């Protein structure tokens, strides 16, 4: 495939510190977006740092249930014994302890496009491919439409998202995202995504069965968490499934589709 890039509208913010029949790719038409600088708008994202079994540092985004504010979720997590809950506005680490940051020599631009935002410093490598290859390994029950969510993200130019049932495993040389569901209790969150900063995965997504949700809410939350796994942060418009707190849109927005080929600009296959 060939990446189709919009001619204008990208805001750059720099921070120091399977199914055999895949859907048709989305063609991102040139769209004029207001040139006024946009804030990155992630100050209210609920970040939690932790340790993986191998001792590496993890960063998790917790997405609050409807009616739960980010501040309330932080309090609920702390009271439940979760450690590493960062205060509002505190940015999580971008590397492992002792790992030299690429920011020191080549600061990485953190991008936004319209209402879409990048999860800063969480990008997949290309490996041997012209697009990063990301495989979503589905461990969930039928109530979570992971297949449909992956089909939505497969339409994006710049990165390839593929679906597999977990028993099929992840192909060698590709990136893996394990998607689980379970009853995680009245914890104040619908979903979470965990990534080890400074690494290439695997990434873990968890979807909470405790809450009574409609089919549309299941679809939106699945789309939302998988978007985090593809390097997207929270959107600022309810037209995107990446909007946090009020889960309305079932699908990515045109801005989400326009941002991904800017995060991954190498011409695709």
């Amino acid at each position: 495939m060939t990446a189709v890039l919009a001619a204008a509208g990208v805001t750059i913010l720099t921070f120091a510190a399977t199914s055999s029949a895949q859907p048709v790719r989305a063609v991102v038409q040139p769209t004029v977006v207001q040139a006024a600088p946009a804030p990155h708008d992630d100050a209210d994202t609920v970040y939690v740092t932790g340790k993986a079994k191998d001792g590496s540092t993890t960063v998790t985004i917790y997405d609050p249930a409807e009616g739960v504010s980010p501040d309330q979720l932080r309090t609920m997590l702390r009271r439940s014994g979760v450690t590493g809950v960062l205060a509002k506005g505190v940015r999580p680490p971008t590397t492992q302890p002792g790992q030299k940051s690429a920011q020191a020599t080549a600061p990485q631009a953190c991008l936004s496009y319209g209402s879409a935002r990048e999860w800063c410093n969480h990008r997949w490598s290309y490996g041997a491919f012209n697009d990063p290859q990301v495989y979503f390994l589905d461990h969930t029950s039928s109530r979570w439409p992971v297949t449909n969510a992956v089909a939505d993200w497969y339409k994006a130019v710049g990165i390839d998202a593929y679906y597999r049932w977990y028993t099929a495993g992840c192909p060698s040389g590709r990136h893996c995202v394990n998607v689980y569901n379970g009853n995680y209790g009245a914890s104040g969150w619908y979903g979470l995504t965990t990534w080890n900063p400074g690494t290439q995965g695997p990434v873990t997504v968890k979807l909470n069965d405790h809450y009574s949700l409609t089919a549309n809410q299941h679809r939106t939350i699945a789309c939302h968490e998988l978007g985090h796994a593809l390097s997207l942060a929270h959107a600022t418009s309810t037209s995107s499934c990446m909007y946090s707190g009020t889960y309305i849109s079932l699908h990515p927005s045109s801005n989400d589709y326009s941002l991904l080929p800017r995060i991954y600009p190498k011409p695709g296959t």
Side-chain angles (χ1 to χ4, degrees):
M1 70 188 158
T2 301
V4 181
L5 299 181
V10 62
T11 302
I12 300 178
L13 302 178
T14 303
F15 296 94
T18 110
S19 169
S20 59
Q22 295 286 355
V24 177
R25 293 286 191 184
V27 177
V28 183
Q29 297 293 342
T31 304
V32 177
V33 178
Q34 294 298 321
H40 208 268
D41 301 304
D42 72 343
D44 229 9
T45 299
V46 178
Y47 290 113
V48 176
T49 61
K51 291 288 185 183
K53 290 181 179 179
D54 63 2
S56 59
T57 296
T58 63
V59 174
T60 300
I61 291 179
Y62 281 78
D63 288 302
E66 288 194 60
V68 178
S69 72
D71 282 338
Q72 288 172 330
L73 178 53
R74 292 185 187 96
T75 298
M76 293 176 70
L77 291 171
R78 292 184 182 113
R79 286 178 176 173
S80 69
V82 175
T83 60
V85 180
L86 301 185
K88 178 178 179 179
V90 175
R91 294 190 174 279
T94 59
T95 60
Q96 294 297 316
Q99 183 181 39
K100 185 177 180 180
S101 172
Q103 299 285 329
T105 55
Q108 187 181 73
C110 190
L111 305 179
S112 66
Y113 187 97
S115 62
R117 301 289 183 267
E118 179 185 5
W119 186 357
C120 301
N121 301 294
H122 289 77
R123 294 185 185 181
W124 294 109
S125 65
Y126 286 91
F129 304 93
N130 286 338
D131 290 333
Q133 307 286 294
V134 180
Y135 279 74
F136 289 93
L137 304 183
D138 186 3
H139 302 250
T140 69
S141 65
S142 59
R143 76 178 67 185
W144 292 101
V146 175
T147 50
N148 294 331
V150 174
D152 269 346
W153 289 114
Y154 179 81
K155 297 175 185 177
V157 175
I159 189 166
D160 292 344
Y162 296 103
Y163 173 90
R164 276 194 172 188
W165 185 243
Y166 75 96
T167 54
C170 195
S172 176
R174 275 75 163 183
H175 304 302
C176 305
V177 178
N178 287 288
V179 185
Y180 301 95
N181 72 303
N183 187 339
Y184 301 110
S187 50
W189 56 270
Y190 282 163
L192 62 79
T193 301
T194 301
W195 196 321
N196 295 23
T199 74
Q200 289 297 304
V203 166
T204 300
V205 167
K206 291 184 178 180
L207 305 167
N208 196 350
D209 287 332
H210 177 80
Y211 296 94
S212 297
L213 302 173
T214 66
N216 282 351
Q217 287 174 313
H218 280 101
R219 174 68 181 267
T220 298
I221 295 161
C223 178
H224 185 102
E225 298 306 327
L226 269 55
H228 282 324
L230 293 176
S231 305
L232 295 182
H234 291 146
T236 61
S237 170
T238 57
S239 66
S240 169
C241 68
M242 295 308 299
Y243 190 81
S244 179
T246 303
Y247 301 92
I248 297 174
S249 177
L250 306 183
H251 310 285
S253 70
S254 60
N255 285 171
D256 298 325
Y257 285 135
S258 293
L259 178 57
L260 282 167
R262 288 168 164 77
I263 297 173
Y264 301 105
K266 185 177 179 180
T269 55

